[in-house]
Amino acid sequence: MKLEPLSSNGFATKITAWYALIGSLWIVLTDYLVALTLNTPEQLLQAQTLKGWGFVFVTSCGLYVLLRRGTRSLQKSYSLLETILESTTDAIFAKNLEGKYIVVNTAMAEIAGVPVQQMLGANDEELFGAEVANQLREHDRISLVSGIRQEREACLNPDYLHTNPVGDPNKAQIYLTSKDIWYDPYGTPIGVIGLSRNITEAKRAYEALAQSEERYRNLFACHPQPMWIYDQESLEFLAVNRAAIAHYGYSEAEFLSMTIEDIRPAEDVPSLLNNLQDKPSGYIASGVRRHLKKDGSVIAVDITTHDVEFEGRPAQVILANDITEQLHVQAQLERYAFTDTLTGLLNRTGFSRNLQQAITRHQHQNSPFTLLYLSLDGFTRLKFSLGHAVARQLLIEAATRLKACFPGAIAARLDDNEFALRLRHEVDSVDAVVGHLRERLSSMYHLNNHDVFSDCSIGVVRSNLDCSDAEDYLQAGDTAMYQARSALPHKYVIFSQQLRDTALNRIELDSALRRALERDEFEVYYQPFIDLSTYQCLGFEALVRWQHPQRGLVPPGEFIPLTEETGLVVPLGEWVLQRACQQLKAWQTQFQQPQLTMSVNVAALQLTQPGFLDVLDDVLRTTGIAPPCLKLEITETTLMQNTETIRCSLDHIKQRGINLSIDDFGTGYSSLSYLHLFSFTVLKLDRSFVIQLESSDKSIEIVRNIARLAQNLNLALVAEGIETQQQLALLQQLDFQEGQGYLFSHPLPPSAAKQWLQDKIQSDVLPD
Ligand code: C2E
Ligand code: MG
Ligand code: MG
């Protein structure tokens, strides 16, 4: 922009032209009029004078009008210029060739710290001091010499200025000053004009930005995890960090010539492209991907992505965390936590987890399954007869057969000898499936030079169970398997509501038994032992009964097994022991029969209780019966549980002089092989042998062998369940010294037993 009066050359031309035109017209017209109207020289002389005065008047008026217009225009321009100069925060100034300020705006005066009026006419030295003035003059000089605009940054610390500081005195202010030559209208340099802008804030912001950019660049470059930026359209790598180069094995140049598809295994590329298509913008995702290294190895990477703009292109920055090792360790830990180390099958935790997933799947997608819960029969017996090593081999072999039988199924070893199978479909013919399984599992095992048979019991649970917890399914399987043990001949039971009710009944029965003990509803019945050569009464066996308020007398077979499972047999057995010993003492005293004995049945759980020996001592002490008069009966199957603890407990009992009797002998597994390990004094042959005596010679032979073994081991021979004279005669022939059975007496309540004993003693005393 140029200011009007100064810019217009035409202004002077116009005035001159008008002046020339008016003057010429004036001369021509007035000369013509004078010539026309005046004739005398005096008139002409006067007219010439008037003409002159008229010319002066007319031109003065014209000049006045023109000068007034010019001045107004000049004032307008000046005011505009002043407004422009003052409206900017930039400092504007003009200096003459002597270095004196001719034009300054307020912003400039503020830099110098003086009023505008004081600054006009002053030079840099007066205003800023010699040091700053030298720099400013040098800038002026270069601007004048070069002839082109010169920009220079200068740092002015107001503290060092002569005048009052401007702004924060602690902060130096940075100015960008642009200077140009000031020419007069004829093109002659008459000074320097300049514009200074305070760029302190902008400069600091710029530096902060640069630093921050540098930090981010470093963060990217030096980040310990692989990072890269790729073009979202072409999928080309745009930048990679050092960790990516080191980890993936490609050089930076190689990376930059590749696309992200090149670091994915070929089979993963379609899914990558699909994901990229569906990806919403700004999406930050993290997930595990498979990546391909330069050496061809595939790694698992957890990636995080973020949309960015890189060099004007839509791009994405990726942070890749190699979790291959972590997954490997995790898998190892999982294997360890969820696998049975002996068989390699899933363990209970692993199977539960798998089963839970199957239950959820079934609930959402209706994918039924069948759960088989099975246990190997006679495992405990086998373990204690053939040893733990053989038992372990049996489990391994059974697991192998199980897997081979249903290769697609999920197999697990849940517990000692309990396995589970989850078939991935609903079984139509349970008979066929279970038959197939039993056939495979029960065919002979050759283990450590032993031929072993092991059948199994199977609980079947269908996926339509009305519950959603894996533990409930396993519980159902366990319940069904438990029932299957006695479900001959197929040895499987399908879980049903009825079975659940039975299980619940067991829980109710347990509570009722506990209440019964508190309410004193138990009674002890006594069954005598008879000397088979003299028929004298040698003693009694204490047999517990439950006098149920509604059901009447309940035999022990209906509740003892449950009390053994729940532990109630411990307080109950203690109560029976106490009661029986008191009774014995009473009869010994009453009938003067100090040699009378009392046999008390003891469960395995009692023997393994730490306080059992104290209980025995206490009972012997309080009742005052002699230890040899007490006999503890331990069933043969009891011996197969926790052998070492039981053997130790039996030794301590024996040391007290108490007799130990092995009950139900002949029902155990390979029982002969370990008899000598225990401190027994009596062998009580199981009733099943006595029953068979009459029907087969082979049975007699077996019993004869058992009797011989007992003699070899110095064991007294007792037969239980003698019901007939013929059985009695055979047992006498086989050298059995003692017997018990309905032939002599049923188990009797205390009063009846007392009467029986009294009658017996009298009949023994009376001659026949
Ligand atoms: P057990 O110790 O072998 O007792 C013998 C069982 O055979 C008794 O059955 C007895 O009544 C029955 N018995 C005796 N002679 C004959 C006979 O000639 N013919 C027949 N058919 N049976 C005969 P019970 O009293 O029903 O006892 C069953 C089992 O309950 C006992 O077998 C014993 O193992 C257990 N038991 C009984 N009382 C107790 C106890 O206080 N504690 C423990 N732990 N178990 C007990
Ligand atoms: Mg017994
Ligand atoms: Mg018995």
Side-chain angles (χ1 to χ4, degrees), residues 232 278-285 304-308 314-317:
Q232 292 215 48
D278 301 342
K279 180 184 74 62
S281 65
Y283 177 71
I284 300 169
T304 309
T305 72
H306 190 19
D307 285 354
V308 289
Q316 220 176 31
V317 60

Side-chain angles (χ1 to χ4, degrees), residues 271-336:
S271 69
L272 162 75
L273 298 178
N274 262 351
N275 289 346
L276 288 173
Q277 258 176 13
D278 301 342
K279 180 184 74 62
S281 65
Y283 177 71
I284 300 169
S286 65
V288 178
R289 312 273 187 276
R290 296 192 320 146
H291 280 181
L292 199 62
K293 297 211 299 195
K294 191 180 179 183
D295 63 10
S297 59
V298 175
I299 53 173
V301 185
D302 190 3
I303 66 157
T304 309
T305 72
H306 190 19
D307 285 354
V308 289
E309 207 184 83
F310 187 83
E311 293 170 354
R313 297 195 238 182
Q316 220 176 31
V317 60
I318 306 285
L319 173 69
N321 182 14
D322 185 346
I323 54 166
T324 317
E325 187 62 25
Q326 185 187 324
L327 288 183
H328 182 65
V329 173
Q330 199 173 314
Q332 270 183 335
L333 285 176
E334 277 199 9
R335 257 202 307 283
Y336 185 74

Side-chain angles (χ1 to χ4, degrees), residues 447-458:
L447 310 169
N448 254 13
N449 300 326
H450 294 279
D451 287 341
V452 176
F453 291 94
S454 179
D455 201 352
C456 59
S457 313
I458 303 168

Side-chain angles (χ1 to χ4, degrees), residues 374 376 394 396-407 421 431-446 452-456 458:
L374 52 116
L376 300 180
L394 173 70
I396 295 168
E397 179 62 24
T400 313
R401 292 186 188 187
L402 212 61
K403 278 256 33 133
C405 208
F406 296 102
L421 267 181
D431 258 345
V433 168
V434 169
H436 177 50
L437 191 60
R438 277 185 68 209
E439 191 187 310
R440 293 293 291 271
L441 278 185
S442 60
S443 52
M444 199 192 289
Y445 295 82
H446 303 287
V452 176
F453 291 94
S454 179
D455 201 352
C456 59
I458 303 168

Side-chain angles (χ1 to χ4, degrees), residues 479-748:
T479 307
M481 182 275 289
Y482 190 81
Q483 300 290 324
R485 286 179 182 170
S486 47
L488 292 166
H490 300 299
K491 297 213 65 180
Y492 78 84
V493 164
I494 301 173
F495 182 82
S496 63
Q497 190 55 42
Q498 199 188 339
L499 270 191
R500 196 199 298 264
D501 294 345
T502 314
L504 282 176
N505 284 343
R506 282 161 54 79
I507 294 169
E508 280 168 17
L509 178 63
D510 179 49
S511 324
L513 285 167
R514 284 172 197 276
R515 271 198 306 274
L517 193 60
E518 283 167 18
R519 293 177 187 169
D520 218 10
E521 289 175 4
F522 290 103
E523 277 182 31
V524 182
Y525 275 43
Y526 299 94
Q527 189 179 25
F529 286 102
I530 303 295
D531 185 322
L532 295 189
S533 40
T534 65
Y535 299 110
Q536 280 182 334
C537 173
L538 297 171
F540 292 87
E541 177 174 7
L543 295 160
V544 72
R545 301 284 181 268
W546 179 17
Q547 190 62 52
H548 194 280
Q550 282 88 42
R551 289 170 58 191
L553 205 63
V554 183
E558 285 186 31
F559 60 86
I560 286 289
L562 182 63
T563 63
E564 283 176 348
E565 278 176 36
T566 61
L568 189 66
V569 77
V570 175
L572 178 62
E574 199 177 315
W575 179 83
V576 172
L577 181 74
Q578 179 80 33
R579 185 58 68 90
C581 289
Q582 280 170 351
Q583 188 61 80
L584 176 68
K585 185 66 187 171
W587 288 338
Q588 282 178 341
T589 319
Q590 215 171 344
F591 299 109
Q592 292 171 355
Q593 299 276 327
Q595 78 292 346
L596 269 186
T597 61
M598 182 60 75
S599 295
V600 178
N601 294 287
V602 176
L605 194 64
Q606 287 176 271
L607 291 173
T608 52
Q609 294 298 304
F612 185 64
L613 293 171
D614 295 339
V615 170
L616 275 179
D617 293 339
D618 202 44
V619 168
L620 290 175
R621 193 174 45 78
T622 53
T623 57
I625 63 167
C629 294
L630 179 62
K631 282 185 188 168
L632 298 185
E633 293 195 3
I634 291 108
T635 59
E636 195 186 9
T637 40
T638 300
L639 301 181
M640 292 166 187
Q641 305 165 35
N642 205 349
T643 327
E644 195 45 41
T645 322
I646 287 176
R647 201 179 60 75
C648 195
S649 179
L650 293 182
D651 282 349
H652 282 104
I653 295 169
K654 180 77 187 305
Q655 281 161 19
R656 284 165 170 73
I658 297 169
N659 280 299
L660 287 169
S661 172
I662 180 161
D663 202 355
D664 300 343
F665 185 82
T667 53
Y669 187 90
S670 300
S671 47
L672 304 177
S673 61
Y674 60 86
L675 251 191
H676 68 279
L677 294 175
F678 300 96
S679 326
F680 289 107
T681 45
V682 181
L683 187 150
K684 209 171 160 193
L685 188 70
D686 190 62
R687 194 165 71 87
S688 53
F689 290 91
V690 178
I691 294 171
Q692 286 172 28
L693 276 180
E694 293 169 282
S695 53
S696 87
D697 290 347
K698 200 176 164 198
S699 303
I700 297 175
E701 203 46 45
I702 293 170
V703 175
R704 197 191 305 283
N705 284 334
I706 292 173
R708 204 170 294 143
L709 170 86
Q711 280 157 6
N712 288 345
L713 292 169
N714 261 340
L715 297 172
L717 267 175
V718 181
E720 66 179 2
I722 308 170
E723 290 183 355
T724 64
Q725 285 293 347
Q726 202 187 342
Q727 288 168 352
L728 173 63
L730 284 166
L731 288 164
Q732 285 169 329
Q733 281 173 26
L734 291 165
D735 284 340
F736 275 75
Q737 298 99 40
E738 255 181 76
Q740 185 193 34
Y742 293 170
L743 180 66
F744 310 110
S745 168
H746 278 77
L748 300 168

Side-chain angles (χ1 to χ4, degrees), residues 417-428:
N417 59 332
E418 289 180 358
F419 292 85
L421 267 181
R422 184 174 68 76
L423 307 179
R424 296 172 195 266
H425 56 272
E426 198 153 21
V427 169
D428 294 330

